[in-house]
Amino acid sequence: MNFKDMTGLQIMQAAAAGKIPLAPISKTIPMNITLAEAGRVVFEATANETHTNPLGGVHGGFAATVMDSVTGCAAHTMLDAGVGYGTIELNENMCKPVPFNKTLIAEGKVINKTRRLVISEGYLRDETGSLYAYATATNMIVS
């Protein structure tokens, strides 16, 4: 499968369907794409003991990586074949500690797309809707 011939949405949908492998970061930070549509993606993410900070909780980098991933992948769904992106700004806010071994739902949505930039937002919640983190991101379109 040649990714250069696939739109960003086609790549994200193929990953969600298990037709192509997930990005290697999903082994370090366990994430799985459950939905991909134009301008929106949904992931499941689960922190485990490998994500422990020196104080014994889940390291903040776990949520930051998940937020960067969902905001970036949402942006990717808006791009043509052969076009990439790179995060140039990620602003994340933590609302409460991320629990160990509990699957959380991360959602990314595109807010605005211009010729050179895609701005998106992301949310990390549990099954009840309780908010653990949210973020905004700006991604530069790279042709």
Side-chain angles (χ1 to χ4, degrees):
M1 192 171 287
N2 188 351
F3 294 132
K4 290 184 180 185
D5 296 332
M6 298 172 71
T7 67
L9 179 57
Q10 289 170 329
I11 291 170
M12 291 294 105
Q13 289 177 331
K19 295 179 180 177
I20 62 173
L22 297 174
I25 189 66
S26 67
K27 291 184 176 123
T28 304
I29 304 290
M31 294 181 279
N32 186 42
I33 304 169
T34 60
L35 176 82
E37 56 191 28
R40 180 173 173 251
V41 296
V42 178
F43 286 19
E44 290 180 341
T46 308
N48 60 48
E49 289 71 23
T50 66
H51 307 111
T52 304
N53 66 26
L55 299 174
V58 175
H59 191 282
F62 176 89
T65 301
V66 174
M67 291 294 89
D68 186 45
S69 297
V70 296
T71 56
C73 288
H76 198 189
T77 67
M78 303 297 289
L79 302 181
D80 293 332
V83 178
Y85 67 94
T87 303
I88 59 174
E89 180 183 44
L90 178 68
N91 180 3
E92 180 195 17
N93 293 282
M94 308 287 240
C95 301
K96 61 183 172 181
V98 170
F100 287 108
N101 303 311
K102 179 176 183 174
T103 300
L104 300 178
I105 302 154
E107 180 177 7
K109 294 181 185 178
V110 171
I111 297 170
N112 191 54
K113 179 184 179 284
T114 67
R115 190 174 58 81
R116 299 295 302 155
L117 300 174
V118 182
I119 300 169
S120 52
E121 62 187 1
Y123 300 90
L124 184 63
R125 295 183 169 104
D126 65 18
E127 72 283 350
T128 70
S130 184
L131 187 64
Y132 288 82
Y134 68 94
T136 57
T138 303
N139 287 275
M140 180 178 286
I141 299 170
V142 182
S143 301

